[in-house]
Amino acid sequence: MGGQVVVGVDIGGTKVLAGVVDEAGTVSSPARRTTPGRRGVTRQAEDALVEAVLESAAGRPLAGVGVAAAGFVDPAGERVMFAPHLPWQGEPLRDLLEERLGCPVLLDNDANCAARAEAHHGAARGAGSALMITMGTGIGGAVLIDGRVLRGANGMAGEFGHMQVVPGGQACECGKSGCWEQYSSGNALVRNARALMAEQPSVLAEVSGGRPERVNGPMVTAAAEEGDLVARQAFASVGDWLGIGTANLVAALDPEVVVVGGGVSAAGDRLLDPARAALRRTLVGAAHRRVPDVVAATLGPRAGMIGAALLLR
Ligand SMILES: [Zn+2]
């Protein structure tokens, strides 16, 4: 392995991050490129990825490259079947990259990679069974049972965000309605805050110049920090729904710990306390089992790179 490096890559709808990841899960020599987005050409997304890998490796030989992709990856880890924010459809990315980079390449979904990273080096370290719930604009996730990330028949296991929690509820971009992520996500947080602003005074009215459509997630987070009641209620609702959905997952999968990552998780206990309360309230047999703790992810935006690199170990 003299001088050889393992590079982990996280490719999402707006950017590709690459970094050299060592055995301890430490990232060095990070590199970043923008991705062309859904309307781009497949070759451009591939080019951005290859450039980021080569910049990160900085001339050192590659032992292997792991890729965490924000999309559906086939069970064999060879192809990106569909990615909502990238131009790939059934793209044989693993083979294409192996040819261009001249080293082994392994591929998985970004939430699966983040779960692997948190299980080895982060909030779920030492847990054999864990749930990872990623709260960004929507909800993604992954299931780790007995030390393995579940991939499923289509590689689609862990897509929790579109479990129906409210029959006939809020319309979802997926075409269905009442999906969990319509009630518990960054988008839900903002929607709650906008609705509550119409009924109660809030610092958000000032911050947004009186235009609720300008309110965004970071504004709600900052307002909650300042003690704004509208922002705090918006978080309480999203946290409560987080706990309700989590109770269903815990009933089905019985994990030791639930790790919540993604942008919204930066709110910490403001989000997690109401989730813990709702989990205890709604979980079957809560009085007769060890209810799993709900904790914030600890690796932040580097989890994808770290977990991608773990594919090679
Ligand atoms: Zn949906």
Side-chain angles (χ1 to χ4, degrees), residues 161-163 171-182:
H162 302 280
M163 298 190 306
C172 183
E173 295 92 68
C174 75
K176 299 193 299 167
S177 67
C179 294
W180 187 25
E181 70 174 40
Q182 292 302 317

Side-chain angles (χ1 to χ4, degrees), residues 7-310:
V7 173
V9 185
D10 188 353
I11 182 160
T14 56
K15 62 183 184 295
V16 47
L17 300 172
V20 171
V21 184
D22 70 13
E23 302 254 350
T26 308
V27 179
S28 60
S29 189
R32 182 189 174 114
R33 290 287 184 283
T34 54
T35 43
R38 181 117 182 78
R39 289 160 176 276
V41 181
T42 57
R43 179 82 185 185
Q44 287 173 340
E46 202 186 299
D47 286 347
L49 202 160
V50 168
E51 281 172 25
V53 169
L54 295 178
E55 182 186 324
S56 179
R60 290 168 286 183
L62 292 164
V65 172
V67 178
F72 292 122
V73 173
D74 74 321
E78 293 174 353
R79 292 169 185 269
V80 177
M81 302 312 292
F82 171 73
H85 308 291
L86 289 165
W88 293 326
Q89 281 193 30
E91 192 78 355
L93 192 64
R94 188 180 76 179
D95 288 352
L96 291 169
L97 291 175
E98 283 192 343
E99 193 165 311
R100 289 181 72 173
L101 294 166
C103 70
V105 173
L106 292 170
L107 183 65
D108 201 354
N109 165 269
D110 56 350
N112 287 353
C113 288
R116 214 171 261 120
E118 294 290 344
H120 279 83
H121 301 295
R125 187 161 37 182
S129 299
L131 282 180
M132 175 90 195
I133 297 171
T134 312
M135 292 183 77
T137 53
I139 291 184
V143 184
L144 183 90
I145 293 289
D146 302 333
R148 292 175 60 92
V149 172
L150 298 189
R151 312 208 65 251
N154 296 288
M156 292 182 178
E159 291 297 324
F160 309 136
H162 302 280
M163 298 190 306
Q164 193 182 54
V165 295
V166 180
Q170 283 281 344
C172 183
E173 295 92 68
C174 75
K176 299 193 299 167
S177 67
C179 294
W180 187 25
E181 70 174 40
Q182 292 302 317
Y183 301 88
S184 192
S185 64
N187 284 350
L189 177 73
V190 169
R191 196 177 58 236
N192 288 346
R194 287 174 180 164
L196 290 162
M197 277 170 73
E199 300 160 7
Q200 299 171 48
S202 168
V203 67
L204 289 168
E206 266 168 64
V207 181
S208 64
R211 297 174 63 179
E213 70 275 13
R214 286 191 180 168
V215 170
N216 60 29
M219 283 181 196
V220 182
T221 302
E225 288 297 315
E226 286 176 36
D228 184 73
L229 289 181
V230 159
R232 290 194 169 186
Q233 283 173 59
F235 267 108
S237 171
V238 165
D240 189 60
W241 277 109
L242 174 60
I244 292 168
T246 298
N248 289 326
L249 293 169
V250 171
L253 298 161
D254 196 18
E256 286 173 56
V257 60
V258 178
V259 179
V260 182
V264 186
S265 71
D269 288 342
R270 196 177 306 291
L271 174 75
L272 301 185
D273 278 343
R276 291 169 183 132
L279 173 60
R280 286 190 174 277
R281 192 179 76 231
T282 52
L283 177 61
V284 62
H288 308 289
R289 67 194 297 166
R290 204 183 63 76
V291 177
D293 198 7
V294 180
V295 299
T298 59
L299 299 175
R302 294 188 160 191
M305 284 187 283
I306 296 167
L310 280 168

